[in-house]
Structures are given as C-alpha cells and as structure tokens.
Amino acid sequence: MTNVCVNGYGTIGKRVADAIRKHSKLKLLGVAKYSPDQDAKIANMNGINVFVPKESVAVFESKGVEVNGTVDELLESSDNIVDASPDDVGKKNKQVYSQKKKKAVFQGGEEADIGFSFNARCNFDDGKGKDYIRVVSCNTTGYCRMICPLAERYKIKHVFASLIRRGADPSDTKGSQLNSVEWKAKSHHADDVRSVVDVPMSSVAFKIPHTHAHINSMLVEFEGEKPSKDDIYEIFKNERIALLNNATTSSQIVETARDLGLKRFDIFMPCLLMNTFMSNGNSVFLSFAVPQESIVVPENIDAIISQNNLMNKEESMKFTDDILDMRNIKTQLEKIFS
Ligand code: NAD
C-alpha cells in the first residue's frame, strides 16, 4: 500500500481524498485542513483523519474539530502527497515536500514548471517515476481527452479554442462579477494543452457569472482526412467522455446528475454536445461541457499510480473508472440525452 495524504481539503481535495479511499493500492492517511470550517467536521464524521498546522490545533479543537495531528506529521508519514492547495500555493509547499523527499501531485493552478504536466490518456507512461506531477487544469484536461484520440488518427493542422468559463464553484464566496462578461484574448489554455500534447493551438476565454460548467468549443482544422460525425461517435465511444445528442442547457446536465443521485453531482467527464457538431471544408467544430469540480479527479488517481509505477496505463485507467463508476455514469447520461 502507498500511504497518501491530501494537502488542502477544498473543492478538489475532498473529491480526490474520497477517490483515494476507494483504491485498493492506496491508503489515505489523512487530509490537511487550514480553516476550522464545516468541511473539517464532515471529514471527522466520515472517518477521515484531520491534520492542521501546529499553531492552529487549539483553534480547531475549540471549534469542536477532532484533530489527529499536525500537517508536518502528516507529510512526514506519507509516501506521496496530493497538493490541492489554492492557485500558486503549491509552489511554496513544494519546498517542504522536497526537503522531506516526498513525491507529490500538484493541480492545474500551478505554473507548468512545477512538475510533469499529466493527462492519463495522453502521457501516463511518461509520468512513471516522476517525483513531481502537475495534473493540468479542468479545461486543459477536457481538451486533452478530446485532442489525443483525434491526433492519433488524423493530422491536426490547428485547434482554435473558445472557452466560456464558469465564474465560481458552487461552494465559492469568491468569483466573477454578477453583471459582466470578462475575457482574456490569447488565454493560457492553448499553452497548457501544449504542455501535454504537441498540437498547434490558439485560445480565447470568456468568464461568465454562473457555476455549472465550463462550456468549451473548438474548431479543429485537419490536414488531409477529417472525421465525420459518425467517426466522432466511434472514436470517443470508449473514452472518458459522454456523448450527448440532445442536451441544450448546462442546467439539464446538472439536474440529471442530481437526479441520478451522484455524490456532489460529480460526473468526472466532459460532455460532448453532439448537437453542436458542424463540419466545413477541412474543419470540424465541436463544443463540450466540463464539470470543473470533478473532471481532474481520475487524473489525480492515475498520476499517483503512474509516478509510483503501481499499475500499467490500461489497468490504472480501468481501475480508476471502476472506483468512480464512470462507465455507468457515461452510459446513463448517453441514454438520457440520446
Ligand atoms: P479551494 O479553495 O476550494 O481549496 C483549497 C484548499 O486549500 C482550501 O481548503 C484551503 O483552506 C486550503 N489551503 C490553504 N492554505 C493551504 C496551504 N498552505 N497548503 C495546502 N492547502 C491550503 O480550491 P480548489 O478549487 O480545490 O483548487 C485547488 C487547486 O485545483 C488549484 O490549483 C486550482 O486551480 C485547481 N483546480 C480547481 C478546479 C475547480 O474548478 N475548482 C478544477 C481543476 C483544478
């Protein structure tokens, strides 16, 4: 068993911690919490050990949180750390991990140079043995899951990507303005995708005030042959992607996840909106919805497996799919929106 801890128990950390607990090769030693909020008490209730900064033990205990030790003790006893801290904080944490000689998985809010940029579908084998892996961001993960299977079959000349980003997560008290659309020309997403897969790409990102999902579109220009709509169904049928024919709003997808009784409404995969498919000349246009809170969870698990060489790519991705029930979720979504 590989002893793992999660440093930062927020939107991503709590989901990754749950997934680690379901994995037969991983043992969750505990999570590091930095504020004595409801999440700390829910972790207590669910039997997850909670570790806090040494100077905060008394504050947590005074709020009724059961503390199992200090963050330093947790990091020391772990073989592998999943850093799910806020954007850019992982960089500082990395100094501690490096002093303690611990392997770590970081998140997409860190700069690309923090570690090997990882997507299970695209480069699982290259992550093997790496001390530091960065699971790329939610949108980049979505693009990678689409682009790698396409790039294996066709020659991609260029990808123009347009992102409509959710302004906040449901649990956030921060986020976008209520009455404005913000945009970033030449957004970082194209470079981020290129940190995983060598593809010519440009991107622009718009941020809008809602919490459901990122809605991404891409115009993929091919050299030579290009996929038809039928080819797209065939290419993605066994990927971590749900192909929806009839969805027309993000609310429908979220409400379906709620009705299916999925914990935290997590579907772990992008929904390819097949009614947006268009084809012209050498290009194909596609849109997909990214469930920002959950899409990177499978990649976090596969990253730990890859860097510790615990399974091969196929075994790892299948096992992760199973513990998260992803094939069943995909089948149900595709049936409901058939
Ligand atoms: P979050 O704010 O929900 O959670 C971060 C947690 O880290 C909080 O609980 C905070 O208390 C804790 N923390 C504070 N100081 C810390 C420290 N020094 N070390 C460790 N943890 C500390 O953030 P999040 O949305 O879970 O994002 C975490 C990372 O995942 C970021 O890099 C983000 O860019 C990335 N990410 C987020 C999403 C998303 O949609 N939320 C999707 C993909 C990737």
Side-chain angles (χ1 to χ4, degrees), residues 14-43:
K14 63 171 80 167
R15 289 169 166 81
V16 174
D18 279 357
I20 292 168
R21 293 179 96 195
K22 293 180 182 161
H23 204 294
S24 61
K25 294 204 179 281
L26 307 177
K27 182 171 192 287
L28 182 74
L29 295 187
V31 299
K33 271 294 296 168
Y34 292 79
S35 43
D37 55 17
Q38 79 288 347
D39 283 340
K41 289 195 181 169
I42 293 173

PDB file of all heavy atoms in Angstrom, residues 14-43:
ATOM      1  N   LYS A  14     -11.241  17.385  -1.478  1.00  0.00           N
ATOM      2  CA  LYS A  14     -12.215  16.468  -0.850  1.00  0.00           C
ATOM      3  C   LYS A  14     -12.617  15.343  -1.814  1.00  0.00           C
ATOM      4  O   LYS A  14     -12.839  14.207  -1.409  1.00  0.00           O
ATOM      5  CB  LYS A  14     -13.437  17.227  -0.323  1.00  0.00           C
ATOM      6  CG  LYS A  14     -14.263  17.930  -1.357  1.00  0.00           C
ATOM      7  CD  LYS A  14     -15.569  18.467  -0.779  1.00  0.00           C
ATOM      8  CE  LYS A  14     -15.410  19.761  -0.031  1.00  0.00           C
ATOM      9  NZ  LYS A  14     -16.705  20.416   0.245  1.00  0.00           N
ATOM     10  N   ARG A  15     -12.665  15.678  -3.095  1.00  0.00           N
ATOM     11  CA  ARG A  15     -13.045  14.659  -4.093  1.00  0.00           C
ATOM     12  C   ARG A  15     -11.917  13.649  -4.294  1.00  0.00           C
ATOM     13  O   ARG A  15     -12.160  12.438  -4.397  1.00  0.00           O
ATOM     14  CB  ARG A  15     -13.396  15.351  -5.420  1.00  0.00           C
ATOM     15  CG  ARG A  15     -14.709  16.118  -5.315  1.00  0.00           C
ATOM     16  CD  ARG A  15     -14.939  17.021  -6.525  1.00  0.00           C
ATOM     17  NE  ARG A  15     -16.326  17.481  -6.571  1.00  0.00           N
ATOM     18  CZ  ARG A  15     -16.813  18.502  -5.855  1.00  0.00           C
ATOM     19  NH1 ARG A  15     -16.024  19.178  -5.037  1.00  0.00           N
ATOM     20  NH2 ARG A  15     -18.091  18.852  -5.956  1.00  0.00           N
ATOM     21  N   VAL A  16     -10.681  14.160  -4.344  1.00  0.00           N
ATOM     22  CA  VAL A  16      -9.546  13.248  -4.541  1.00  0.00           C
ATOM     23  C   VAL A  16      -9.398  12.348  -3.303  1.00  0.00           C
ATOM     24  O   VAL A  16      -9.132  11.148  -3.421  1.00  0.00           O
ATOM     25  CB  VAL A  16      -8.250  14.048  -4.831  1.00  0.00           C
ATOM     26  CG1 VAL A  16      -7.045  13.122  -4.899  1.00  0.00           C
ATOM     27  CG2 VAL A  16      -8.391  14.816  -6.144  1.00  0.00           C
ATOM     28  N   ALA A  17      -9.602  12.916  -2.118  1.00  0.00           N
ATOM     29  CA  ALA A  17      -9.498  12.113  -0.886  1.00  0.00           C
ATOM     30  C   ALA A  17     -10.498  10.958  -0.919  1.00  0.00           C
ATOM     31  O   ALA A  17     -10.151   9.816  -0.598  1.00  0.00           O
ATOM     32  CB  ALA A  17      -9.733  12.998   0.341  1.00  0.00           C
ATOM     33  N   ASP A  18     -11.732  11.232  -1.330  1.00  0.00           N
ATOM     34  CA  ASP A  18     -12.741  10.162  -1.415  1.00  0.00           C
ATOM     35  C   ASP A  18     -12.302   9.069  -2.388  1.00  0.00           C
ATOM     36  O   ASP A  18     -12.489   7.880  -2.129  1.00  0.00           O
ATOM     37  CB  ASP A  18     -14.089  10.731  -1.900  1.00  0.00           C
ATOM     38  CG  ASP A  18     -14.861  11.385  -0.764  1.00  0.00           C
ATOM     39  OD1 ASP A  18     -14.387  11.343   0.387  1.00  0.00           O
ATOM     40  OD2 ASP A  18     -15.951  11.947  -1.038  1.00  0.00           O
ATOM     41  N   ALA A  19     -11.751   9.488  -3.521  1.00  0.00           N
ATOM     42  CA  ALA A  19     -11.338   8.501  -4.539  1.00  0.00           C
ATOM     43  C   ALA A  19     -10.164   7.661  -4.027  1.00  0.00           C
ATOM     44  O   ALA A  19     -10.131   6.443  -4.243  1.00  0.00           O
ATOM     45  CB  ALA A  19     -10.968   9.216  -5.839  1.00  0.00           C
ATOM     46  N   ILE A  20      -9.221   8.284  -3.335  1.00  0.00           N
ATOM     47  CA  ILE A  20      -8.072   7.534  -2.792  1.00  0.00           C
ATOM     48  C   ILE A  20      -8.577   6.442  -1.845  1.00  0.00           C
ATOM     49  O   ILE A  20      -8.079   5.317  -1.842  1.00  0.00           O
ATOM     50  CB  ILE A  20      -7.099   8.492  -2.053  1.00  0.00           C
ATOM     51  CG1 ILE A  20      -6.418   9.427  -3.047  1.00  0.00           C
ATOM     52  CG2 ILE A  20      -6.045   7.700  -1.250  1.00  0.00           C
ATOM     53  CD1 ILE A  20      -5.658  10.584  -2.404  1.00  0.00           C
ATOM     54  N   ARG A  21      -9.577   6.773  -1.039  1.00  0.00           N
ATOM     55  CA  ARG A  21     -10.105   5.795  -0.069  1.00  0.00           C
ATOM     56  C   ARG A  21     -10.702   4.564  -0.740  1.00  0.00           C
ATOM     57  O   ARG A  21     -10.841   3.520  -0.123  1.00  0.00           O
ATOM     58  CB  ARG A  21     -11.189   6.451   0.805  1.00  0.00           C
ATOM     59  CG  ARG A  21     -10.648   7.514   1.722  1.00  0.00           C
ATOM     60  CD  ARG A  21     -11.769   8.111   2.524  1.00  0.00           C
ATOM     61  NE  ARG A  21     -11.884   7.502   3.832  1.00  0.00           N
ATOM     62  CZ  ARG A  21     -12.935   7.631   4.628  1.00  0.00           C
ATOM     63  NH1 ARG A  21     -13.981   8.315   4.235  1.00  0.00           N
ATOM     64  NH2 ARG A  21     -12.955   7.078   5.815  1.00  0.00           N
ATOM     65  N   LYS A  22     -11.103   4.728  -2.007  1.00  0.00           N
ATOM     66  CA  LYS A  22     -11.722   3.583  -2.706  1.00  0.00           C
ATOM     67  C   LYS A  22     -10.690   2.730  -3.424  1.00  0.00           C
ATOM     68  O   LYS A  22     -11.035   1.712  -4.027  1.00  0.00           O
ATOM     69  CB  LYS A  22     -12.725   4.103  -3.744  1.00  0.00           C
ATOM     70  CG  LYS A  22     -13.925   4.788  -3.128  1.00  0.00           C
ATOM     71  CD  LYS A  22     -14.857   5.267  -4.233  1.00  0.00           C
ATOM     72  CE  LYS A  22     -16.047   6.011  -3.664  1.00  0.00           C
ATOM     73  NZ  LYS A  22     -16.708   6.850  -4.651  1.00  0.00           N
ATOM     74  N   HIS A  23      -9.427   3.159  -3.424  1.00  0.00           N
ATOM     75  CA  HIS A  23      -8.406   2.485  -4.249  1.00  0.00           C
ATOM     76  C   HIS A  23      -7.671   1.425  -3.437  1.00  0.00           C
ATOM     77  O   HIS A  23      -7.147   1.707  -2.360  1.00  0.00           O
ATOM     78  CB  HIS A  23      -7.421   3.523  -4.786  1.00  0.00           C
ATOM     79  CG  HIS A  23      -6.727   3.080  -6.033  1.00  0.00           C
ATOM     80  ND1 HIS A  23      -5.841   2.024  -6.061  1.00  0.00           N
ATOM     81  CD2 HIS A  23      -6.811   3.528  -7.304  1.00  0.00           C
ATOM     82  CE1 HIS A  23      -5.403   1.868  -7.293  1.00  0.00           C
ATOM     83  NE2 HIS A  23      -5.975   2.760  -8.076  1.00  0.00           N
ATOM     84  N   SER A  24      -7.595   0.210  -3.984  1.00  0.00           N
ATOM     85  CA  SER A  24      -7.005  -0.902  -3.224  1.00  0.00           C
ATOM     86  C   SER A  24      -5.498  -0.773  -3.050  1.00  0.00           C
ATOM     87  O   SER A  24      -4.922  -1.421  -2.182  1.00  0.00           O
ATOM     88  CB  SER A  24      -7.332  -2.225  -3.916  1.00  0.00           C
ATOM     89  OG  SER A  24      -6.771  -2.216  -5.209  1.00  0.00           O
ATOM     90  N   LYS A  25      -4.833   0.042  -3.865  1.00  0.00           N
ATOM     91  CA  LYS A  25      -3.378   0.160  -3.739  1.00  0.00           C
ATOM     92  C   LYS A  25      -2.955   1.411  -2.963  1.00  0.00           C
ATOM     93  O   LYS A  25      -1.765   1.661  -2.777  1.00  0.00           O
ATOM     94  CB  LYS A  25      -2.728   0.179  -5.127  1.00  0.00           C
ATOM     95  CG  LYS A  25      -2.895  -1.136  -5.866  1.00  0.00           C
ATOM     96  CD  LYS A  25      -1.826  -1.324  -6.908  1.00  0.00           C
ATOM     97  CE  LYS A  25      -1.988  -2.648  -7.635  1.00  0.00           C
ATOM     98  NZ  LYS A  25      -1.490  -3.771  -6.855  1.00  0.00           N
ATOM     99  N   LEU A  26      -3.933   2.215  -2.559  1.00  0.00           N
ATOM    100  CA  LEU A  26      -3.606   3.474  -1.879  1.00  0.00           C
ATOM    101  C   LEU A  26      -4.284   3.521  -0.512  1.00  0.00           C
ATOM    102  O   LEU A  26      -5.408   3.055  -0.347  1.00  0.00           O
ATOM    103  CB  LEU A  26      -4.086   4.669  -2.718  1.00  0.00           C
ATOM    104  CG  LEU A  26      -3.628   4.713  -4.184  1.00  0.00           C
ATOM    105  CD1 LEU A  26      -4.238   5.919  -4.892  1.00  0.00           C
ATOM    106  CD2 LEU A  26      -2.105   4.762  -4.287  1.00  0.00           C
ATOM    107  N   LYS A  27      -3.563   4.127   0.455  1.00  0.00           N
ATOM    108  CA  LYS A  27      -4.156   4.305   1.779  1.00  0.00           C
ATOM    109  C   LYS A  27      -4.155   5.801   2.096  1.00  0.00           C
ATOM    110  O   LYS A  27      -3.084   6.439   2.039  1.00  0.00           O
ATOM    111  CB  LYS A  27      -3.329   3.541   2.811  1.00  0.00           C
ATOM    112  CG  LYS A  27      -3.896   3.622   4.210  1.00  0.00           C
ATOM    113  CD  LYS A  27      -3.152   2.662   5.138  1.00  0.00           C
ATOM    114  CE  LYS A  27      -3.822   2.473   6.431  1.00  0.00           C
ATOM    115  NZ  LYS A  27      -3.920   3.282   7.431  1.00  0.00           N
ATOM    116  N   LEU A  28      -5.328   6.344   2.394  1.00  0.00           N
ATOM    117  CA  LEU A  28      -5.394   7.762   2.758  1.00  0.00           C
ATOM    118  C   LEU A  28      -5.059   7.912   4.240  1.00  0.00           C
ATOM    119  O   LEU A  28      -5.820   7.480   5.106  1.00  0.00           O
ATOM    120  CB  LEU A  28      -6.806   8.323   2.485  1.00  0.00           C
ATOM    121  CG  LEU A  28      -6.943   9.816   2.792  1.00  0.00           C
ATOM    122  CD1 LEU A  28      -6.244  10.678   1.732  1.00  0.00           C
ATOM    123  CD2 LEU A  28      -8.415  10.233   2.902  1.00  0.00           C
ATOM    124  N   LEU A  29      -3.912   8.534   4.526  1.00  0.00           N
ATOM    125  CA  LEU A  29      -3.532   8.727   5.936  1.00  0.00           C
ATOM    126  C   LEU A  29      -4.322   9.870   6.566  1.00  0.00           C
ATOM    127  O   LEU A  29      -4.547   9.869   7.773  1.00  0.00           O
ATOM    128  CB  LEU A  29      -2.041   9.025   6.048  1.00  0.00           C
ATOM    129  CG  LEU A  29      -1.066   7.917   5.620  1.00  0.00           C
ATOM    130  CD1 LEU A  29       0.360   8.317   5.960  1.00  0.00           C
ATOM    131  CD2 LEU A  29      -1.413   6.586   6.294  1.00  0.00           C
ATOM    132  N   GLY A  30      -4.693  10.825   5.742  1.00  0.00           N
ATOM    133  CA  GLY A  30      -5.467  11.932   6.280  1.00  0.00           C
ATOM    134  C   GLY A  30      -5.425  13.125   5.346  1.00  0.00           C
ATOM    135  O   GLY A  30      -4.827  13.073   4.263  1.00  0.00           O
ATOM    136  N   VAL A  31      -6.087  14.197   5.782  1.00  0.00           N
ATOM    137  CA  VAL A  31      -6.107  15.422   4.981  1.00  0.00           C
ATOM    138  C   VAL A  31      -5.628  16.585   5.850  1.00  0.00           C
ATOM    139  O   VAL A  31      -5.809  16.578   7.071  1.00  0.00           O
ATOM    140  CB  VAL A  31      -7.532  15.722   4.442  1.00  0.00           C
ATOM    141  CG1 VAL A  31      -8.008  14.590   3.545  1.00  0.00           C
ATOM    142  CG2 VAL A  31      -8.544  15.961   5.573  1.00  0.00           C
ATOM    143  N   ALA A  32      -5.007  17.553   5.181  1.00  0.00           N
ATOM    144  CA  ALA A  32      -4.558  18.756   5.897  1.00  0.00           C
ATOM    145  C   ALA A  32      -5.603  19.847   5.731  1.00  0.00           C
ATOM    146  O   ALA A  32      -5.988  20.180   4.614  1.00  0.00           O
ATOM    147  CB  ALA A  32      -3.215  19.216   5.341  1.00  0.00           C
ATOM    148  N   LYS A  33      -6.058  20.392   6.858  1.00  0.00           N
ATOM    149  CA  LYS A  33      -7.074  21.457   6.847  1.00  0.00           C
ATOM    150  C   LYS A  33      -6.461  22.717   7.422  1.00  0.00           C
ATOM    151  O   LYS A  33      -5.655  22.670   8.353  1.00  0.00           O
ATOM    152  CB  LYS A  33      -8.258  21.045   7.739  1.00  0.00           C
ATOM    153  CG  LYS A  33      -9.347  20.262   7.051  1.00  0.00           C
ATOM    154  CD  LYS A  33     -10.113  21.050   5.999  1.00  0.00           C
ATOM    155  CE  LYS A  33     -10.906  22.233   6.522  1.00  0.00           C
ATOM    156  NZ  LYS A  33     -11.388  23.103   5.415  1.00  0.00           N
ATOM    157  N   TYR A  34      -6.863  23.853   6.850  1.00  0.00           N
ATOM    158  CA  TYR A  34      -6.280  25.129   7.284  1.00  0.00           C
ATOM    159  C   TYR A  34      -7.303  26.063   7.914  1.00  0.00           C
ATOM    160  O   TYR A  34      -6.951  27.090   8.462  1.00  0.00           O
ATOM    161  CB  TYR A  34      -5.572  25.797   6.088  1.00  0.00           C
ATOM    162  CG  TYR A  34      -4.344  24.999   5.685  1.00  0.00           C
ATOM    163  CD1 TYR A  34      -4.464  23.837   4.908  1.00  0.00           C
ATOM    164  CD2 TYR A  34      -3.078  25.351   6.139  1.00  0.00           C
ATOM    165  CE1 TYR A  34      -3.359  23.072   4.575  1.00  0.00           C
ATOM    166  CE2 TYR A  34      -1.963  24.595   5.813  1.00  0.00           C
ATOM    167  CZ  TYR A  34      -2.110  23.462   5.041  1.00  0.00           C
ATOM    168  OH  TYR A  34      -1.012  22.700   4.733  1.00  0.00           O
ATOM    169  N   SER A  35      -8.600  25.705   7.774  1.00  0.00           N
ATOM    170  CA  SER A  35      -9.606  26.522   8.468  1.00  0.00           C
ATOM    171  C   SER A  35     -10.617  25.578   9.128  1.00  0.00           C
ATOM    172  O   SER A  35     -11.002  24.555   8.537  1.00  0.00           O
ATOM    173  CB  SER A  35     -10.297  27.481   7.493  1.00  0.00           C
ATOM    174  OG  SER A  35     -10.601  26.807   6.303  1.00  0.00           O
ATOM    175  N   PRO A  36     -11.040  25.935  10.355  1.00  0.00           N
ATOM    176  CA  PRO A  36     -11.909  25.018  11.119  1.00  0.00           C
ATOM    177  C   PRO A  36     -13.372  25.138  10.690  1.00  0.00           C
ATOM    178  O   PRO A  36     -14.242  25.464  11.493  1.00  0.00           O
ATOM    179  CB  PRO A  36     -11.703  25.515  12.561  1.00  0.00           C
ATOM    180  CG  PRO A  36     -11.375  26.964  12.421  1.00  0.00           C
ATOM    181  CD  PRO A  36     -10.708  27.169  11.090  1.00  0.00           C
ATOM    182  N   ASP A  37     -13.637  24.875   9.419  1.00  0.00           N
ATOM    183  CA  ASP A  37     -14.993  25.065   8.903  1.00  0.00           C
ATOM    184  C   ASP A  37     -15.773  23.748   8.871  1.00  0.00           C
ATOM    185  O   ASP A  37     -15.333  22.738   9.413  1.00  0.00           O
ATOM    186  CB  ASP A  37     -14.938  25.706   7.496  1.00  0.00           C
ATOM    187  CG  ASP A  37     -14.068  24.880   6.548  1.00  0.00           C
ATOM    188  OD1 ASP A  37     -13.790  23.698   6.869  1.00  0.00           O
ATOM    189  OD2 ASP A  37     -13.670  25.406   5.496  1.00  0.00           O
ATOM    190  N   GLN A  38     -16.930  23.793   8.210  1.00  0.00           N
ATOM    191  CA  GLN A  38     -17.796  22.602   8.164  1.00  0.00           C
ATOM    192  C   GLN A  38     -17.110  21.409   7.503  1.00  0.00           C
ATOM    193  O   GLN A  38     -17.368  20.253   7.869  1.00  0.00           O
ATOM    194  CB  GLN A  38     -19.144  22.923   7.478  1.00  0.00           C
ATOM    195  CG  GLN A  38     -19.142  22.985   5.956  1.00  0.00           C
ATOM    196  CD  GLN A  38     -18.456  24.208   5.377  1.00  0.00           C
ATOM    197  OE1 GLN A  38     -18.156  25.171   6.088  1.00  0.00           O
ATOM    198  NE2 GLN A  38     -18.213  24.196   4.079  1.00  0.00           N
ATOM    199  N   ASP A  39     -16.216  21.666   6.541  1.00  0.00           N
ATOM    200  CA  ASP A  39     -15.545  20.557   5.848  1.00  0.00           C
ATOM    201  C   ASP A  39     -14.707  19.725   6.825  1.00  0.00           C
ATOM    202  O   ASP A  39     -14.608  18.499   6.677  1.00  0.00           O
ATOM    203  CB  ASP A  39     -14.629  21.084   4.732  1.00  0.00           C
ATOM    204  CG  ASP A  39     -15.412  21.496   3.493  1.00  0.00           C
ATOM    205  OD1 ASP A  39     -16.562  21.051   3.341  1.00  0.00           O
ATOM    206  OD2 ASP A  39     -14.863  22.264   2.677  1.00  0.00           O
ATOM    207  N   ALA A  40     -14.121  20.379   7.818  1.00  0.00           N
ATOM    208  CA  ALA A  40     -13.296  19.660   8.803  1.00  0.00           C
ATOM    209  C   ALA A  40     -14.184  18.710   9.604  1.00  0.00           C
ATOM    210  O   ALA A  40     -13.818  17.555   9.854  1.00  0.00           O
ATOM    211  CB  ALA A  40     -12.603  20.651   9.727  1.00  0.00           C
ATOM    212  N   LYS A  41     -15.369  19.193   9.970  1.00  0.00           N
ATOM    213  CA  LYS A  41     -16.265  18.344  10.772  1.00  0.00           C
ATOM    214  C   LYS A  41     -16.849  17.214   9.930  1.00  0.00           C
ATOM    215  O   LYS A  41     -17.052  16.100  10.421  1.00  0.00           O
ATOM    216  CB  LYS A  41     -17.381  19.188  11.387  1.00  0.00           C
ATOM    217  CG  LYS A  41     -16.840  20.093  12.482  1.00  0.00           C
ATOM    218  CD  LYS A  41     -17.936  20.653  13.338  1.00  0.00           C
ATOM    219  CE  LYS A  41     -17.324  21.571  14.386  1.00  0.00           C
ATOM    220  NZ  LYS A  41     -18.314  22.361  15.092  1.00  0.00           N
ATOM    221  N   ILE A  42     -17.100  17.486   8.651  1.00  0.00           N
ATOM    222  CA  ILE A  42     -17.620  16.416   7.769  1.00  0.00           C
ATOM    223  C   ILE A  42     -16.538  15.345   7.600  1.00  0.00           C
ATOM    224  O   ILE A  42     -16.834  14.148   7.608  1.00  0.00           O
ATOM    225  CB  ILE A  42     -18.090  16.987   6.411  1.00  0.00           C
ATOM    226  CG1 ILE A  42     -19.314  17.887   6.634  1.00  0.00           C
ATOM    227  CG2 ILE A  42     -18.455  15.858   5.440  1.00  0.00           C
ATOM    228  CD1 ILE A  42     -19.785  18.644   5.419  1.00  0.00           C
ATOM    229  N   ALA A  43     -15.275  15.784   7.479  1.00  0.00           N
ATOM    230  CA  ALA A  43     -14.176  14.796   7.385  1.00  0.00           C
ATOM    231  C   ALA A  43     -14.163  13.932   8.647  1.00  0.00           C
ATOM    232  O   ALA A  43     -14.091  12.703   8.565  1.00  0.00           O
ATOM    233  CB  ALA A  43     -12.844  15.523   7.199  1.00  0.00           C
TER     234      ALA A  43
END
